[in-house]
Amino acid sequence: FCSHWAHNEFLNFKDDKMSKSLGNVVTIRNFTKDYTGQVLRHILLSVHYRARLEWNDLIIKKAVEEVKKIHEFVLSAESLVINNRAQTLEFLKNSLEKIKSELVNDFNSAGALGQYFSFIREMNGIKEVTEADYFKIKEINAFMSEALGLINAKPQEVLNFLNNKEKEKVKTVDESWVLTKIEERKQAKA
């Protein structure tokens, strides 16, 4: 049973609409075997629900990198040192409100995600925070996890899965295919 519905634009695969008749359908089950539900959710939320979503390898690669960045940040935030003599982080006061403001604006999940990445950039390099700031950071991360599902409860597992998949892809490069392509290129140049 569903209590909420959201309608979205067409999902395009490269230049064509994704459809069975064109044979370019990517099932959720197959996608999540390779990339996890976190990456799928990230892709879907990174574009406004009324905007057209282009589905291609570049979008997937970008989403994988951004999911990694989010989960790496969550892990680093857990290891922040609480020091009440640390400088208060003024940008934290409005960070959560900016994220919520985007969501209130016609559920602009892409805008909320942009605000969250701005927050992550501001946090870059910070190692010590006051206790109040530490709990504000945890509150922002909890909101992104609960409201949008963008943070997995086990961030290290997400990172391990994505990193292992990358290593597998590197290993699956077929040497004979590469050599064939090199030979074809040589012949084309001749």
Side-chain angles (χ1 to χ4, degrees):
F1 183 79
C2 181
S3 59
H4 301 284
W5 289 90
H7 177 55
N8 63 305
E9 256 292 345
F10 285 115
L11 182 61
N12 289 346
F13 190 76
K14 299 191 177 152
D15 294 327
D16 298 319
K17 182 180 88 169
M18 191 179 286
S19 69
K20 283 185 185 177
S21 61
L22 295 175
N24 62 358
V25 173
V26 177
T27 65
I28 292 172
R29 179 170 293 149
N30 288 341
F31 184 85
T32 56
K33 283 180 186 173
D34 290 335
Y35 297 103
T36 77
Q38 289 299 136
V39 174
L40 177 61
R41 182 177 291 116
H42 187 86
I43 290 170
L44 296 175
L45 291 172
S46 67
V47 176
H48 192 277
Y49 71 93
R50 283 195 266 153
R52 180 162 289 161
L53 174 59
E54 301 295 330
W55 191 270
N56 58 48
D57 293 336
L58 184 63
I59 297 293
I60 295 169
K61 183 177 179 179
K62 180 180 178 200
V64 167
E65 292 306 314
E66 288 179 351
V67 167
K68 284 179 170 181
K69 185 175 185 175
I70 288 170
H71 287 82
E72 287 166 353
F73 169 72
V74 169
L75 289 174
S76 71
E78 290 173 4
S79 64
L80 287 170
V81 174
I82 296 175
N83 179 352
N84 285 321
R85 285 188 244 147
Q87 184 176 352
T88 300
L89 304 174
E90 293 298 322
F91 66 88
L92 283 179
K93 290 180 182 175
N94 297 325
S95 293
L96 185 57
E97 287 71 29
K98 287 178 181 178
I99 292 168
K100 287 180 178 180
S101 173
E102 292 291 349
L103 291 174
V104 169
N105 180 16
D106 196 23
F107 194 67
N108 185 4
S109 57
L113 195 54
Q115 291 295 336
Y116 185 63
F117 278 116
S118 293
F119 158 70
I120 290 174
R121 273 190 301 281
E122 291 278 353
M123 287 297 301
N124 191 24
I126 295 174
K127 304 288 184 213
E128 292 185 353
V129 294
T130 64
E131 186 174 19
D133 285 348
Y134 178 78
F135 286 112
K136 188 69 174 176
I137 293 163
K138 300 228 7 128
E139 180 185 10
I140 292 168
N141 285 341
F143 179 80
M144 292 303 286
S145 177
E146 293 165 14
L148 295 175
L150 288 173
I151 300 171
N152 191 290
K154 299 178 180 176
Q156 190 60 59
E157 286 183 17
V158 172
L159 291 170
N160 291 344
F161 181 87
L162 293 173
N163 288 331
N164 288 338
K165 282 295 181 178
E166 277 182 10
K167 289 176 187 173
E168 285 176 20
K169 285 183 180 183
V170 170
K171 290 179 184 176
T172 60
V173 174
D174 183 20
E175 185 178 346
S176 63
W177 177 83
V178 172
L179 293 174
T180 301
K181 293 296 177 188
I182 291 171
E183 196 57 43
E184 287 174 6
R185 186 164 188 250
K186 285 179 184 176
Q187 290 175 1
K189 281 184 163 184

